Amino acid sequence: IAFNDDAMTNVITVLHCIARGDELYSFVDQARRDRAAVAVEKGIDCILKTQIVVNGKLTAWCAQHHLRTLEPQTARSYEPPSISGMESVGIVRFLMSIEDPSPEVVASIESAVAWFESAKLTGIRQDRIEDDSLELGYDLVVVEDETAPPLWARFYDLETSKAIFPDRDGSVYESMNDLSYERRTGYRYMTDRPTSMLYEEYPAWKQARQRETLNSMLPYIILAVVAFVVLLCIAIVGFSLWRRRR
């Protein structure tokens, strides 16, 4: 199950658009839209089942999971079983696009967002250092900067949720600066991709959910108010009749 580079996420997003009849896919016939809808439901179930649990809490996803066991899997030598700070963003975005999400989907989103908040790396930034003596003419290093916006690592340890930096030979480091030059400059180990999802898209989704909840409750609220007013009127009339009899 390849979430890596958003492969599965992009596929299920296209199927979702087809199933709900988006104009871009209006050429797709109803039979295929129905099949796409079934595939989307299976895909959502797979996403929920592959969300990684650490210390009893749902976190996010690995970049790849085993087809049958659904356990996090190794891909290339520098892509070990781990929690992904990169690919998990696209998964959360897809889940937030689901109309009328189930309680399980909502819990999955909320848990992943909480994990992203806890996993952000602050007080550092990634710098490109020009250096003609190096093979590529530059180096990529992490430096301290208390004013820098948050970053996320691509890989987090499955047990501790701490950022890890795997090298091509399988070695795992706690800092990107310890990686070999070839990997440090040849792979994206750090990202700011979760930023817009966390601080723009998720709040908008949350607000929309609250509006939907309020709108769904509005008829019941109106009914309760009308019932209260009717009972109040009956009580007032009854009290007036009682006073007259006295």
Side-chain angles (χ1 to χ4, degrees), residues 16 40-49 51 58 94-111 205 209 212-213:
H16 188 216
V40 169
E41 288 305 312
K42 290 181 178 180
I44 293 171
D45 183 59
C46 178
I47 287 173
L48 296 180
K49 288 178 178 176
Q51 191 168 10
L58 289 170
F94 167 71
L95 292 177
M96 289 194 297
S97 75
I98 297 173
E99 302 86 356
D100 192 23
S102 67
E104 291 78 14
V105 169
V106 172
S108 175
I109 294 168
E110 298 286 6
S111 298
W205 173 82
R209 286 275 305 150
E212 290 170 5
T213 301

Side-chain angles (χ1 to χ4, degrees), residues 56-224:
K57 294 182 179 180
L58 289 170
T59 59
W61 294 264
C62 185
Q64 51 280 321
H65 290 257
H66 193 279
L67 178 63
R68 291 183 174 82
T69 68
L70 306 182
E71 293 298 316
Q73 292 291 293
T74 299
R76 291 170 287 191
S77 59
Y78 48 89
E79 296 172 331
S82 55
I83 306 173
S84 173
M86 179 84 76
E87 280 78 10
S88 296
V89 176
I91 297 173
V92 174
R93 281 180 171 145
F94 167 71
L95 292 177
M96 289 194 297
S97 75
I98 297 173
E99 302 86 356
D100 192 23
S102 67
E104 291 78 14
V105 169
V106 172
S108 175
I109 294 168
E110 298 286 6
S111 298
V113 166
W115 178 82
F116 271 110
E117 277 289 355
S118 69
K120 66 184 177 184
L121 306 174
T122 58
I124 59 171
R125 73 173 190 273
Q126 182 175 273
D127 271 3
R128 174 175 168 137
I129 309 298
E130 303 299 326
D131 187 341
D132 292 337
S133 68
L134 297 172
E135 181 182 355
L136 299 178
Y138 69 90
D139 198 356
L140 290 177
V141 297
V142 171
V143 299
E144 293 184 1
D145 182 354
E146 292 301 324
T147 66
L151 289 172
W152 285 261
R154 187 160 195 158
F155 304 104
Y156 288 83
D157 185 84
L158 285 171
E159 295 182 0
T160 65
S161 281
K162 290 184 177 180
I164 56 174
F165 300 88
D167 217 326
R168 187 178 287 279
D169 64 0
S171 301
V172 177
Y173 301 99
E174 294 182 357
S175 170
M176 193 185 87
N177 293 345
D178 295 329
L179 291 165
S180 62
Y181 175 75
E182 180 270 332
R183 280 296 78 199
R184 194 165 63 244
T185 56
Y187 193 73
R188 191 176 180 185
Y189 284 94
M190 305 284 281
T191 182
D192 62 355
R193 191 182 181 195
T195 302
S196 59
M197 182 274 289
L198 273 183
Y199 304 120
E200 296 175 21
E201 297 163 43
Y202 169 70
W205 173 82
K206 188 86 169 176
Q207 189 174 48
R209 286 275 305 150
Q210 291 170 344
R211 284 199 302 269
E212 290 170 5
T213 301
L214 180 60
N215 289 339
S216 66
M217 292 175 61
L218 195 57
Y220 301 101
I221 294 172
I222 294 173
L223 184 62

Side-chain angles (χ1 to χ4, degrees), residues 18-19 28-39:
I18 291 171
V28 179
D29 60 67
Q30 187 60 52
R32 287 182 173 83
R33 284 206 295 268
D34 292 342
R35 288 171 60 189
V38 172

